[in-house]
Amino acid sequence: MNTAPTGPKQIRALIGNIPDPEELYGRDDFIEHLWKVIEGNNVLLLAPRRFGKSGILRHVLKRSHAGFLPLSFELEDVDSSEEFVWRITRELLVHDGVRRLLSNARKLPASLMGWVKDTFDEAEFEGAKVRFKEQIREDWREAAKRMLAELEKADETLLFLFDEMPRMIERISEKRGDESAREFLDWFRTVRLEQKDVLRRHRFIVAGSVGVDLVLHRLGAVAAFTDFARLPVEPLDNAPAGQLAEDLAASFGITWTPELSARLFALIGSPVPYFIHIFFSQLGQLPKASRAALTLDNLDQVYATRVLGPTCRRYFGHYGSRLTRYGKMGEKSAYAILQAVASRNQVSRPALYEIYRKTRGRNADEHEFDELLADLEYDWYLRLDPGTNEFFFRLKVIQDWWKRWYPTSAAAAKSARTKQP
Ligand SMILES: Nc1ncnc2c1ncn2[C@@H]1O[C@H](COP(=O)(O)OP(=O)(O)O)[C@@H](O)[C@H]1O
Ligand SMILES: [Mg+2]
């Protein structure tokens, strides 16, 4: 199996859009392994945003193995259990075979049966959403559970792909309260456990960017996903990353060399495909003559002035904006911590606690500090070096970006001085 195209390449510049299966580089082994794990387990795909989770899910969806019926759900904007059940029902009813099964089901609650029997076109369906959610409000737990139980009679194993489900759980707790989020998790767990004795059990792949364990910890529901195999999605290996760089270079008319690849990966820190794509989107804008004779110095310059500059700022926006999740004071502490690590490269835990304590004042709390650091670690801003017990930035490009856009006041003053002789 080779997911990357071979021969003359047609390659799309992708900055944030979900890659199609033929656009994926370096995930063959991972996907092969994923399918093995799926035979016997549910799967939790974990990685920071933009590492390539959704691309992998799309591959599973579009190149599904025989015997599975994959159903894909983007859950990032879902903030209630009713909305979740609506999305599932709508998707299930689109599949004729599934619909037939459901329409013959004896145990389906009346609140759902009407929806199965009647046919809607797409537009009517959207309009019907409010009505559906009202009807299902009281008994969504039972209705959805019975619907899923009915579907175990299907010829194929249903494979539910739940992209960004941890974010959905977080949103439910923000919008409807922790109790609603816990209720959902409980429900999801019983759905999985109650199908134990059945031959063809559904499978679930849950993908998430936010620290799922922290969300669960806050809700007191640490056991919610214990029956899931955890698969972390890592940066690419050097060979496929080099191939991606070579193919992108060819598509932009850039004369490329292994030395340029090495420098590009060194600038980023490790080959995360998103940043390779961003880098080339900028290289591609150089004048034709520069593209034909690109030097290492050109690369450094494009990195400093464009990749880290205002042109690309919005591609990184997420890294700053997601800190608002910590609340006003937590956000301030997170900034201070990230600034310290960005400017000093490695900072010990006690030193970071001091920084946290100063921004937090009398409200400083060791437990809150631990949670904050763990969250920054989960999102791969930071990593702990167990040898020295010091924190450092997981990706050089994000560290450089922090330094550029959120300088410490000392660094800002110094750069102002050097700019105005
Ligand atoms: N295997 C890959 N090969 C090439 N580009 C990739 C790959 N995985 C991710 N990308 C790039 O990263 C971006 C984000 O990928 P996506 O799968 O949406 O990540 P996530 O779901 O983890 O946020 C894509 O737009 C594309 O630029
Ligand atoms: Mg995604």
Side-chain angles (χ1 to χ4, degrees):
M1 182 177 66
N2 185 6
T3 44
T6 49
K9 308 286 192 309
Q10 267 296 324
I11 188 165
R12 265 198 309 168
L14 278 176
I15 311 177
N17 290 329
I18 301 176
D20 277 327
E22 57 280 6
E23 293 173 315
L24 279 192
Y25 284 72
R27 297 299 188 204
D28 295 1
D29 293 348
F30 184 95
I31 292 168
E32 208 178 304
H33 178 66
L34 177 66
W35 277 109
K36 283 209 185 93
V37 178
I38 273 296
E39 292 289 333
N41 305 272
N42 297 317
V43 169
L44 203 48
L45 273 190
L46 293 172
R49 189 169 276 260
R50 306 287 190 227
F51 265 52
K53 298 174 299 296
S54 298
I56 290 169
L57 288 185
R58 181 170 287 183
H59 193 287
V60 170
L61 176 72
K62 293 202 166 173
R63 307 252 173 106
S64 176
H65 284 194
F68 288 92
L69 174 62
L71 303 162
S72 167
F73 303 88
E74 165 54 65
L75 301 176
E76 181 152 22
D77 58 330
V78 173
D79 59 12
S80 72
S81 301
E82 294 89 350
E83 175 69 24
F84 174 81
V85 175
W86 160 252
R87 301 268 180 111
I88 303 277
T89 310
R90 190 182 56 178
E91 180 65 24
L92 287 170
L93 295 186
V94 166
H95 293 263
D96 289 342
V98 171
R99 192 179 198 130
R100 225 172 300 121
L101 244 175
L102 287 177
S103 61
N104 293 324
R106 255 174 282 135
K107 287 197 192 144
L108 216 57
S111 54
L112 275 180
M113 209 49 181
W115 296 87
V116 175
K117 295 275 188 208
D118 297 342
T119 44
F120 298 90
D121 65 28
E122 202 48 47
E124 277 177 296
F125 229 19
E126 266 315 309
K129 171 169 150 172
V130 176
R131 192 156 53 88
F132 177 91
K133 288 212 268 184
E134 265 162 22
Q135 286 175 3
I136 209 86
R137 183 148 298 145
E138 291 308 317
D139 72 339
W140 68 267
R141 286 171 216 76
E142 198 48 35
K145 205 189 287 184
R146 286 216 213 139
M147 177 169 69
L148 291 174
E150 257 337 295
L151 290 172
E152 283 169 24
K153 295 178 192 150
D155 293 333
E156 294 164 303
T157 300
L158 263 54
L159 177 55
F160 292 90
L161 310 176
F162 289 146
D163 204 358
E164 299 292 352
M165 184 182 248
R167 177 64 192 135
M168 168 186 117
I169 292 161
E170 203 177 43
R171 281 181 67 111
I172 294 180
S173 75
E174 284 163 11
K175 283 266 161 74
R176 323 264 151 163
D178 289 354
E179 198 43 53
S180 299
R182 276 193 285 269
E183 198 179 58
F184 175 82
L185 285 168
D186 268 354
W187 172 83
F188 189 33
R189 198 171 152 75
T190 36
V191 162
R192 299 187 318 261
L193 294 182
E194 281 177 13
Q195 41 166 4
K196 214 163 204 156
D197 305 322
V198 183
L199 195 62
R200 269 187 295 267
R201 297 169 62 187
H202 306 320
R203 289 279 182 274
F204 302 91
I205 303 182
V206 169
S209 301
V210 303
V212 61
D213 293 307
L214 269 156
V215 176
L216 299 179
H217 182 73
R218 277 185 209 127
L219 293 170
V222 279
F225 287 101
T226 40
D227 55 324
F228 279 72
R230 291 170 171 244
L231 301 187
V233 180
E234 303 284 353
L236 298 182
D237 288 342
N238 277 327
Q243 188 65 51
L244 172 61
E246 225 174 86
D247 294 348
L248 280 168
S251 81
F252 284 114
I254 300 170
T255 311
W256 201 246
T257 62
E259 290 70 36
L260 287 167
S261 268
R263 176 68 69 97
L264 187 139
F265 300 155
L267 288 170
I268 298 174
S270 52
V272 175
Y274 180 60
F275 296 108
I276 301 176
H277 271 285
I278 289 180
F279 215 129
F280 273 96
S281 74
Q282 301 308 305
L283 294 174
Q285 293 172 33
L286 293 173
K288 202 168 180 181
S290 313
R291 276 181 282 138
L294 199 72
T295 64
L296 295 175
D297 284 346
N298 293 149
L299 214 56
D300 292 347
Q301 209 181 359
V302 167
Y303 179 72
T305 60
R306 301 194 65 116
V307 175
L308 299 180
T311 344
C312 291
R313 191 171 183 186
R314 73 186 172 89
Y315 300 140
F316 292 79
H318 157 77
Y319 295 98
S321 65
R322 83 177 295 283
L323 297 184
T324 54
R325 289 165 70 234
Y326 305 132
K328 220 174 174 129
M329 285 317 292
E331 188 182 353
K332 204 170 149 201
S333 312
Y335 273 114
I337 288 171
L338 291 171
Q339 271 172 345
V341 182
S343 63
R344 292 188 235 158
N345 296 326
Q346 299 251 24
V347 186
S348 73
R349 221 176 161 287
L352 286 182
Y353 186 75
E354 255 326 286
I355 291 166
Y356 162 82
R357 205 183 51 77
K358 276 197 190 127
T359 58
R360 208 71 178 87
R362 276 190 299 146
N363 293 321
D365 164 53
E366 192 133 7
H367 179 67
E368 184 188 84
F369 171 71
D370 281 341
E371 282 215 338
L372 188 61
L373 265 192
D375 205 44
L376 294 175
E377 217 183 327
Y378 267 112
D379 231 24
W380 294 34
Y381 294 101
L382 299 187
R383 270 279 178 272
L384 179 67
D385 177 346
T388 59
N389 203 21
E390 289 180 331
F391 285 90
F392 60 95
F393 262 84
R394 173 72 179 80
L395 280 178
K396 178 176 165 294
V397 62
I398 297 182
Q399 177 178 8
D400 290 341
W401 190 83
W402 268 105
K403 276 203 283 206
R404 163 74 170 82
W405 291 103
Y406 302 99
T408 57
S409 26
K414 188 175 161 213
S415 108
R417 275 198 304 278
T418 47
K419 270 182 204 141
Q420 296 159 8

